[in-house]
Structure formats: C-alpha cells, structure tokens
Amino acid sequence: LLSSLFTVSAIAQQQPAAPKSARLTPRISVINAGFNGTITVFQSTAGPIVVDCADPSSAPAVQALIRAIDQRTPTGVILTHYHSDHVGAAATLAAGSTVFAHETCFASFKKQNPAGYESLSKVARLAPQTADDGKLDMGEDSIRLIHPTHAHSSGDTVVVFEKEKVIAAGDLFFNGVPPYIDVADGANTQLWADAIDRIAQQYPGFKVVPGHGPVTDTEGWKQFASYLRALRQGVAEAIKAGQTREQAQASVNLEQFTSIKDYGNMLTRKANIGWVYDELTKK
Ligand SMILES: [Zn+2]
C-alpha cells in the first residue's frame, strides 16, 4: 500500500504543468493540470458540478480557473477515485459543496490519507454512493454515475453527461500513456476493459475526458481497452509458460500500440506488465 501511494504521488510530481482551461461544450469545460490531473466542470442549472480535484499543489490555480468558468460555489463535486492526484485538492475545491463518490472510494481515501479525508469532511457534505449505476439530479439536469466495481481501483466512478454527450472517465482512461494500475486496491484489468467497451457501446461518439491526457472520443477510449486486453493476454500467456515477473516484462510485446508512449519511470509498458503479473498471480 505504501508503494502504491508513493507511485501515485511520484506521478503527480513528475510534471508540474500550469493548469489550463478549455471549453468542450457550451456547458462543459475541462481543466488540464498535466499529470496533476484533469478536472471537468459542468454548469448545471443547479450550479457548477466539478469532477475530480487534482493534487494539493494545483489547488489555488485550479480553483481560480473554476471560478473563472462559474463564480458560484460548486453545488456538487464528484470524485472518480481516491488517488491523490484526483482528491488531493478536494478540501479546497469542494468547500461548501456536496461530495459524491462511491463508498469504496471514500473508504480507500480515509484509509490511505486520513488527514486529507478529515479536512474534506469538515468543509463538505459527503454523499457516498452505493449503487453500481446511479443518477444525480441537479436542477433540470441529470448526471449518470457508473461504478464498474473493480477497474483502475475498486471504487471508480465514470460520469456521463448524456445531454452534453460527454463522459468523464476518470482513470479508466489514460490517453497516450500506459496507465497506473492499483492492484493493491483491487484493480482488475478484465473488468476495466469490459467496462470501457460496455460504456462506449452505450454512448457511441461521445467525447471522453480522460483522467490523464487529452480529450478524445469513445473510439480512442476503446483503443485503450484493446491495449488493456493485449496486456492482460500477453501476461497470462507468459505466466502459463512459467515465466517469472522479470521474464514477462522482457518478453510481452505491446509495441503495436504506437500511440501509447512510455512516460517517466512509472507509466511504462514494463511497469504495466509487472502490475498485471501481480494482479494475475495475487492470492
Ligand atoms: Zn488513479
């Protein structure tokens, strides 16, 4: 668990880019803080809804960008999962709001970062979600929250803005880089890829905001699911052939996915192979 925390904060610290905001649809804007996180802002009739909160170091810059989009205090903040680069700035950005996340996400957040969880619960109302498929009614708008049980973590939420034709995928999507896979928290690459294909099939042509990387559409997201499937299949074959973790890292070939580029020491094919090896051999 310590190593997983270290990994996530190492990812967050790797690229301290100045956050930038861009309008995606008339009512949805995306704030990109590089590898410190992606934040989606939806201007619902009931007030702004913010998806994810970046890491703590980005809090002032991200808050200024949210206020420039909409001066009202966010009505709701949705956390896609508990990693520090998604919840770190929550105590600042979600002050005075209601925070929606799956109950498993809140549990992992509390366990991994008790102080951060405590500060958030002092300034915001926490609204744990228990259903695998839920809806939030915000004024005249309805937002769909999908919880794919085990994917990138065990408490992920995918947010669908049906009228706007936009999906905020959280870390079910790393666009352009190999993903972080939180095996210690119960990540499951099979259910992850299945969830992507299922949601993409239900919402063809929707724009997809990744947890990391540039905005694309459901076709781009499905390519990422193909990468996860090839990764899992390659590692399963290596295990079947009796290979060790290191041998699998040397033998499994994922070079056909040319649009996915290794990034730093953490977000690499080699790391992915190791994590999936751990996932498939976990007792
Ligand atoms: Zn994550």
Side-chain angles (χ1 to χ4, degrees), residues 127-150:
Q129 306 294 295
T130 52
D132 289 348
D133 188 353
K135 265 198 191 279
L136 288 185
D137 290 316
M138 293 290 170
E140 292 155 31
D141 295 299
S142 184
I143 299 165
R144 188 167 169 214
L145 303 182
I146 302 170
H147 168 58
T149 66
H150 292 262

Side-chain angles (χ1 to χ4, degrees), residues 81 83 85-86 152 171 174 180 212:
H81 64 295
H83 289 154
D85 49 342
H86 296 258
H152 167 72
D171 277 2
F174 281 64
Y180 178 64
H212 300 278

Side-chain angles (χ1 to χ4, degrees), residues 59-60 63 88-95 120 123:
Q63 186 168 48
T92 303
L93 305 185
L120 175 63
V123 298

Side-chain angles (χ1 to χ4, degrees), residues 32-204:
N32 192 321
F35 275 88
N36 291 345
T38 308
I39 298 97
T40 303
V41 181
F42 172 52
Q43 295 173 274
S44 87
T45 56
I49 308 298
V50 174
V51 183
D52 277 344
C53 288
D55 79 301
S57 72
S58 305
V62 170
Q63 186 168 48
L65 290 171
I66 293 173
R67 286 199 176 138
I69 295 163
D70 197 315
Q71 291 191 333
R72 299 173 290 178
T73 298
T75 306
V77 171
I78 302 165
L79 300 177
T80 62
H81 64 295
Y82 78 98
H83 289 154
S84 58
D85 49 342
H86 296 258
V87 307
T92 303
L93 305 185
S97 308
T98 300
V99 181
F100 303 92
H102 195 267
E103 59 178 356
T104 311
C105 164
F106 280 128
S108 298
F109 185 1
K110 191 176 183 180
K111 190 168 151 195
Q112 299 278 14
N113 179 2
Y117 180 85
E118 181 71 15
S119 350
L120 175 63
S121 59
K122 276 185 188 149
V123 298
R125 187 175 82 85
L126 305 189
Q129 306 294 295
T130 52
D132 289 348
D133 188 353
K135 265 198 191 279
L136 288 185
D137 290 316
M138 293 290 170
E140 292 155 31
D141 295 299
S142 184
I143 299 165
R144 188 167 169 214
L145 303 182
I146 302 170
H147 168 58
T149 66
H150 292 262
H152 167 72
S153 73
S154 64
D156 304 293
T157 298
V158 172
V159 185
V160 184
F161 303 98
E162 291 181 343
K163 263 196 248 170
E164 309 291 316
K165 295 192 187 303
V166 171
I167 298 168
D171 277 2
L172 260 73
F173 191 13
F174 281 64
N175 188 10
V177 288
Y180 178 64
I181 303 169
D182 194 346
V183 179
D185 191 65
N188 183 310
T189 44
Q190 176 79 58
L191 297 178
W192 185 346
D194 289 351
I196 294 172
D197 286 344
R198 192 172 62 244
I199 300 166
Q201 190 181 359
Q202 192 173 359
Y203 299 109

